[in-house]
Amino acid sequence: MERRGFLQSAALAVFGALSGRDAFAQPAATKSVDELQKNWKLLLAEGFKAPLPTEPLKLSKDEWRKRLDAQQFQVLREEGTERAGTSPLNAEKRAGVYVCAGCDLPVYTSDMKYESGTGWPSFFTTIPGAFAKKTDYKLLLPRTEYHCVRCGGHHGHVFEDGPKPTGQRWCNNGVALKFIPKTGKA
Ligand SMILES: [Zn+2]
């Protein structure tokens, strides 16, 4: 009787572990990065007209000043950095797409976001082709700065201490982003 009870619970434990693993295959975090990048449009709100990375938006400094608020201008056009912990997007958890605040180009989906604990919205990958990188030497050590391919706006820096599977941490200024929830208005 005892032995039978033991076998039953052992069988249940194995079954539990297997079904547990199946359940883990579902959440977005375990979808492959390829899949997240390929299917990013599934998170785009209906009716949102996303511009293409191949349609450049070139404006003069004065035109940018008019289009952006002071903080957005400072980050996007002057490569500034917002104070950590100030962006409401740190706490944003809804499904949707993050677009460039300068030109509306989709740059990340909600499935690419994670909590890095840094006080800046952080992502482990991007929508393909959204950003171009360059090395910046403002601090003593070189850092990889990235900017929007459509409008050239500065967004943040990418580091190699992110989570698996990419190991990347795209540390983005919240003011450089606009969040478009999949349902409802931004
Ligand atoms: Zn842009």
Side-chain angles (χ1 to χ4, degrees):
M1 189 64 186
E2 249 175 35
R3 183 175 159 77
R4 194 168 159 208
F6 170 76
L7 284 175
Q8 261 176 0
S9 50
L12 278 173
V14 169
F15 181 76
L18 286 175
S19 54
R21 200 161 56 189
D22 278 355
F24 272 127
Q26 301 308 319
T30 56
K31 277 184 204 158
S32 79
V33 173
D34 274 0
E35 213 178 315
L36 295 183
Q37 290 190 323
K38 223 185 292 164
N39 299 327
W40 69 266
K41 282 184 184 154
L42 295 178
L43 286 157
L44 200 56
E46 221 178 294
F48 181 78
K49 222 180 153 290
L52 297 172
T54 48
E55 305 168 336
L57 180 68
K58 284 211 157 99
L59 300 176
S60 69
K61 268 221 151 132
D62 278 352
E63 287 170 313
W64 279 119
R65 250 184 244 280
K66 276 180 216 152
R67 189 179 165 102
L68 303 171
D69 70 29
Q71 230 198 338
Q72 290 172 328
F73 182 85
Q74 210 238 329
V75 169
L76 285 164
R77 309 315 308 178
E78 312 260 76
E79 306 198 344
T81 300
E82 75 190 8
R83 212 149 49 82
T86 55
S87 173
L89 293 182
N90 281 317
E92 182 57 69
K93 291 196 164 63
R94 287 174 291 168
V97 170
Y98 293 83
V99 303
C100 173
C103 72
D104 282 356
L105 181 73
V107 291
Y108 306 106
T109 67
S110 49
D111 280 354
M112 299 170 178
K113 192 170 189 274
Y114 77 101
E115 181 47 71
S116 65
T118 58
W120 288 286
S122 303
F123 303 84
F124 57 83
T125 190
T126 76
I127 289 174
F131 292 118
K133 294 181 192 171
K134 72 175 190 210
T135 307
D136 116 23
Y137 295 94
K138 275 185 203 156
L139 300 182
L140 284 177
L141 291 172
R143 294 180 299 172
T144 306
E145 179 261 356
Y146 60 90
H147 50 271
C148 168
V149 291
R150 179 163 188 250
C151 73
H154 167 81
H155 275 250
H157 291 85
V158 58
F159 302 94
E160 300 296 322
D161 57 7
K164 285 179 183 175
T166 61
Q168 299 167 5
R169 171 168 60 95
W170 294 76
C171 183
N172 214 104
N173 287 280
V175 294
L177 298 171
K178 270 195 297 192
F179 179 64
I180 314 291
K182 179 155 170 52
T183 50
K185 300 257 178 276

